[in-house]
Amino acid sequence: MKSGQLSAHTCTLFLILLQLRVNYKPNIEVGPPFMSQLSHAKIHFNDQGTPVAADFDDVYFSNDGGLAETEYVFLQHNGLPQRWQTHERPAFHIFETGFGTGANFLLSWQRFRQFRQHYPESTCQRLYFSSVEKFPLTLADLSRALAVHTELQPLCQQLLAAYPLRIAGCHRLSFDDGTVILDLWLGDVNSLLPELSSSIDAVYLDGFAPGKNPQMWQDSLFAGLAKLSHNATTVATFTSAGIVKRGLHDAGFSVTKVKGYGRKREMLTARFNAVPVSAANSAAIKTQHVTLVGGGIASICTALLLLQRGIKVSLLCEDNDIAAQASQNRQGAVYPNLHATLTADSQLQVQAFLYARQFYQYWQQQGLDFAMDWCGMLHLATTAQLSERQQKLIQRALWPEQLVCAADANTASALAGVELQHSGIYFPLAGWLSPQQFCRQARHYLQQHAGFELKLNCHVSAIQPNNTGWQLQTTQGVQQATQLVLACGSALASFAPSGFLPLNKIRGQVSHVQSDGMTALKTVLCHKGYITPQWQGLHCVGATFDRTAASAHLSAADDAENLALVNQQLDTPAWFTGASTLSAAAAFRATVPDHLPVVGEISPGLFVLGAMGARGITLAPLLSEVLVATLRAEPLPLSRTLLSRVSGLRFQPLLTTERAVTE
């Protein structure tokens, strides 16, 4: 076969796959294998005030408080904190089985904080602590359990303030300005381990004793740890049980018995027998400069996270200011889109929503002065179909009430502050923020740092690979990039290397409405559209969907459509009488056929981030974190299942065809 030709078999497969892609509809009934409903731990406190697990008849830590045992068993026998001084990578990754009360994490956090104070110039600057917990404590039980650790109270209070809801999957919690990261994975460890994708430097093999919790101590546990280990990975565990020693040995670890803590005669340590850390990871770690193409919330979130890790950033924006396109909205709602079944899509939405709350609150605390209000959101059941869907969601009780709960019409009216005729579901943690104000405040913050460069009115017309990375043709001349990120919204598929992305551009217009009757509105209202509470004298009412528009023009007809939709969906409420539009904003939303975002590497050194539709405010922080962690070869806050669902390569026809031919 000549170069450039495809066999008839390959062409047929290619056409079939393209047709499948066009007709693809996501199956929202299929969730990740590790997803399940979780139960809180059933515990009581003994006479010494130590928490005891009722289901396992075992204590969470020794009656003396447990920190001395943690120091001896897990830190000392993993060579910590001494190993941090000679660690050759920017981040150190600890993996723990059994988060429990968090005592092991808290002490490790304190020791790492002390290490950075004494050795500020060390290569190791960040600590990742990944911990799995199948039966998380309630916040009240955790607060009581941590009260005994008087020397750790400042850290305990920060953990309690950030403690996540009882929802399966990864909860990434950031402390000490992002230098200490807790990835709390809620679920069964033997189901979750295959979902992790990052190498581990040290293992705290904790949890209830093998005799009391045999479900955890399976061969799959040890095999899973081995897959994530490298030649310097160490393990320490409080037990010396034969099943643990044999399991570690058979998985490829060299196991040693040593003196146990206190009255325990023996415990185990281990080291993995493997080749050194891969060269690919080493190359990713050397990333020192990233070029971003974009100017909206996706590129701004990415720039903040890159700069926080000490990576220089060049941002190329085609407009005369950032946040001039899809991120120009005055107010945008922040909430998760939930299904009545445990699905991968809902999992992504919840993780992104909870991370976004933490992310925006952190940057506001850093001095970014932007409007934000976690005032709650009511999604009103304005159709029979929507009412049925919401009833299923509430009846199946898959999500904690702190995240979503039912609201009849009277309750909804009281929550909203205006009279409503429909029942619905209420998201008490949701709210709104001003994306344009956030982006422009972030731009001001970024420009105060020497490692950030902004080029406005810099339109990129073409990109192509070269010997050092990528070459960009721009209105400001040829630009060079060693690592290139396309986060340019509706222009994401405008370049040859990203042209395979089946991007749809949907024009939408949001109306800025003045209404005396709406001033009492206290929450975001969603129906077929949405309404925000008043800010600076105006409400945002939207939004239209135009799939045929060639430009993001403003339209008086769209303003009329937005106002008419409110009256149609909410039965012409009296409080909306006299509402008038004073201004509007129009832009293109970018989506792909399966309505999931795209993130990750699509070619060596070329990354994409986008296709977030109308949910960029909610999705951008977490997906930016995924992108930056990928660039740095650091632990990822998404499962392998979710990473595969949002990978841009899922639309790469050539790769898909080659995979099909191979199989």
Side-chain angles (χ1 to χ4, degrees):
M1 186 172 66
K2 294 181 180 180
S3 176
Q5 292 182 333
L6 292 174
S7 68
H9 176 63
T10 301
C11 285
T12 301
L13 280 170
F14 178 72
L15 291 172
I16 291 172
L17 288 162
L18 284 180
Q19 186 65 34
L20 285 173
R21 188 178 76 184
V22 170
N23 295 328
Y24 173 71
K25 294 181 180 179
N27 179 3
I28 65 170
E29 296 301 321
V30 179
F34 63 86
M35 284 191 65
S36 62
Q37 269 190 284
L38 300 175
S39 300
H40 278 126
K42 300 175 184 176
I43 73 169
H44 63 271
F45 291 83
N46 63 20
D47 293 340
Q48 289 76 35
T50 304
V52 180
D55 290 336
F56 300 98
D57 189 29
D58 203 355
V59 294
Y60 280 87
F61 48 74
S62 60
N63 288 328
D64 65 1
L67 291 182
E69 184 173 8
T70 290
E71 186 90 63
Y72 177 81
V73 174
F74 296 116
L75 277 89
Q76 180 178 327
H77 283 92
N78 272 299
L80 303 176
Q82 292 79 11
R83 282 174 66 187
W84 295 329
Q85 298 178 33
T86 57
H87 192 62
E88 296 179 351
R89 302 174 67 180
F92 190 91
H93 187 198
I94 297 172
F95 179 81
E96 175 189 50
T97 57
F99 182 73
T101 66
N104 295 343
F105 163 68
L106 290 164
L107 188 60
S108 301
W109 176 7
Q110 184 189 62
R111 294 291 179 262
F112 190 74
R113 176 185 278 186
Q114 293 167 345
F115 155 73
R116 293 195 71 243
Q117 290 172 346
H118 288 106
Y119 303 96
E121 302 303 320
S122 292
T123 300
C124 185
Q125 293 288 311
R126 293 163 65 84
L127 174 66
Y128 281 88
F129 194 102
S130 299
S131 186
V132 179
E133 180 56 64
K134 187 175 182 180
F135 300 102
L137 272 67
T138 65
L139 182 61
D141 285 339
L142 181 64
S143 180
R144 181 176 175 184
L146 292 180
V148 301
H149 303 312
T150 54
E151 66 273 46
L152 296 178
Q153 277 311 297
L155 305 187
C156 291
Q157 294 308 310
Q158 289 188 56
L159 174 61
L160 290 169
Y163 193 60
L165 300 179
R166 178 179 45 86
I167 296 172
C170 179
H171 299 264
R172 173 155 288 189
L173 310 178
S174 178
F175 303 99
D176 284 1
D177 294 325
T179 59
V180 174
I181 304 292
L182 170 61
D183 280 344
L184 185 49
W185 292 82
L186 298 185
D188 179 80
V189 66
N190 287 297
S191 297
L192 283 170
L193 262 177
E195 296 288 339
L196 272 67
S197 54
S198 304
S199 64
I200 297 169
D201 297 308
V203 179
Y204 293 3
L205 198 50
D206 203 0
F208 299 117
K212 296 178 181 290
N213 186 21
Q215 292 83 3
M216 188 191 90
W217 302 88
Q218 302 290 324
D219 289 342
S220 57
L221 169 65
F222 308 114
L225 291 175
K227 288 181 179 179
L228 297 174
S229 297
H230 54 81
N231 66 310
T233 301
T234 58
V235 180
T237 181
F238 64 92
T239 182
S240 61
I243 188 175
V244 179
K245 182 179 180 182
R246 290 188 298 272
L248 287 169
H249 177 271
D250 293 346
F253 292 88
S254 298
V255 187
T256 304
K257 281 187 178 180
V258 297
K259 170 70 174 66
Y261 175 76
R263 291 176 294 176
K264 293 182 180 179
R265 189 175 64 179
E266 295 174 322
M267 58 169 278
L268 299 177
T269 64
R271 188 182 184 96
F272 192 61
N273 303 312
V275 295
V277 180
S278 73
N281 282 348
S282 298
I285 292 163
K286 293 177 182 178
T287 299
Q288 297 298 323
H289 184 271
V290 173
T291 301
L292 289 167
V293 178
I297 199 161
S299 56
I300 289 296
C301 289
T302 304
L304 287 169
L305 291 169
L306 285 168
L307 209 64
Q308 191 180 51
R309 286 165 166 85
I311 301 174
K312 294 180 179 179
V313 176
S314 293
L315 176 58
L316 312 183
C317 175
E318 67 178 1
D319 303 305
N320 59 13
D321 201 352
I322 62 163
Q325 297 188 33
S327 297
Q328 67 178 301
N329 284 343
R330 288 173 48 80
Q331 294 169 281
V334 188
Y335 68 96
N337 184 26
L338 302 181
H339 298 143
T341 53
L342 291 172
T343 66
D345 297 7
S346 285
Q347 179 78 14
L348 175 65
Q349 288 280 330
V350 170
Q351 285 186 225
F353 167 68
L354 295 175
Y355 184 83
R357 278 179 51 93
Q358 175 192 177
F359 179 89
Y360 293 124
Q361 287 169 345
Y362 169 79
W363 286 107
Q364 198 173 64
Q365 292 165 3
Q366 298 309 301
L368 273 61
D369 184 15
F370 60 96
M372 179 173 70
D373 188 4
W374 301 107
C375 58
M377 188 277 280
L378 278 164
H379 195 176
L380 300 175
T382 56
T383 67
Q385 182 182 21
L386 185 55
S387 178
E388 181 181 0
R389 190 183 307 156
Q390 291 185 353
Q391 286 176 17
K392 287 182 180 178
L393 187 148
I394 295 299
Q395 289 169 359
R396 292 176 182 175
L398 301 178
W399 309 102
E401 288 189 355
Q402 299 100 311
L403 180 68
V404 61
C405 58
D408 60 26
N410 289 334
T411 302
S413 297
L415 290 167
V418 295
E419 186 176 356
L420 300 170
Q421 304 301 318
H422 298 88
S423 63
I425 52 177
Y426 179 58
F427 294 81
L429 298 178
W432 65 268
L433 63 83
S434 173
Q436 186 179 73
Q437 201 175 50
F438 167 77
C439 288
R440 293 183 176 175
Q441 280 284 304
R443 177 207 61 197
H444 178 69
Y445 171 88
L446 290 164
Q447 288 180 304
Q448 296 177 43
H449 293 77
F452 179 76
E453 176 189 32
L454 174 63
K455 293 188 177 183
L456 296 173
N457 299 305
C458 185
H459 173 73
V460 180
S461 58
I463 62 173
Q464 61 185 42
N466 61 19
N467 293 333
T468 59
W470 293 87
Q471 180 172 289
L472 295 79
Q473 301 292 334
T474 83
T475 50
Q476 296 187 22
V478 175
Q479 309 286 328
Q480 305 293 334
T482 54
Q483 301 283 345
L484 177 61
V485 177
L486 303 178
C488 44
S490 60
L492 190 63
S494 300
F495 310 100
S498 61
F500 66 88
L501 292 171
L503 207 69
N504 300 315
K505 294 169 58 176
I506 304 170
R507 176 188 160 277
Q509 182 163 317
V510 177
S511 304
H512 306 149
V513 173
Q514 186 179 54
S515 169
D516 293 337
M518 275 203 294
T519 55
L521 181 63
K522 297 185 295 186
T523 67
V524 177
L525 293 182
C526 287
H527 43 90
K528 204 171 179 179
Y530 73 94
I531 308 170
T532 63
Q534 181 178 266
W535 175 53
Q536 295 181 336
L538 296 175
H539 302 264
C540 284
V541 178
T544 58
F545 283 79
D546 184 352
R547 302 178 185 277
T548 61
S551 65
H553 59 278
L554 291 176
S555 164
D558 278 19
D559 288 333
E561 181 181 333
N562 281 330
L563 270 60
L565 185 64
V566 175
N567 286 319
Q568 176 195 1
Q569 292 288 304
L570 304 187
D571 301 325
T572 316
W575 47 264
F576 200 64
T577 302
S580 60
T581 301
L582 296 190
S583 59
F588 284 110
R589 309 177 188 90
T591 66
V592 289
D594 61 11
H595 301 292
L596 287 169
V598 294
V599 63
E601 194 170 22
I602 60 170
S603 190
L606 177 63
F607 299 79
V608 293
L609 173 58
M612 290 178 275
R615 297 190 170 274
I617 308 174
T618 302
L619 294 171
L622 180 62
L623 296 183
S624 297
E625 176 72 16
V626 169
L627 182 64
V628 172
T630 302
L631 278 161
R632 296 290 284 171
E634 294 177 354
L636 301 176
L638 286 184
S639 65
R640 286 181 179 270
T641 296
L642 293 183
L643 286 170
S644 68
R645 288 183 68 84
V646 299
S647 169
L649 291 177
R650 70 188 188 272
F651 295 112
Q652 232 299 353
L654 184 58
L655 290 180
T656 308
T657 303
E658 290 175 346
R659 188 180 302 117
V661 171
T662 303
E663 294 175 353

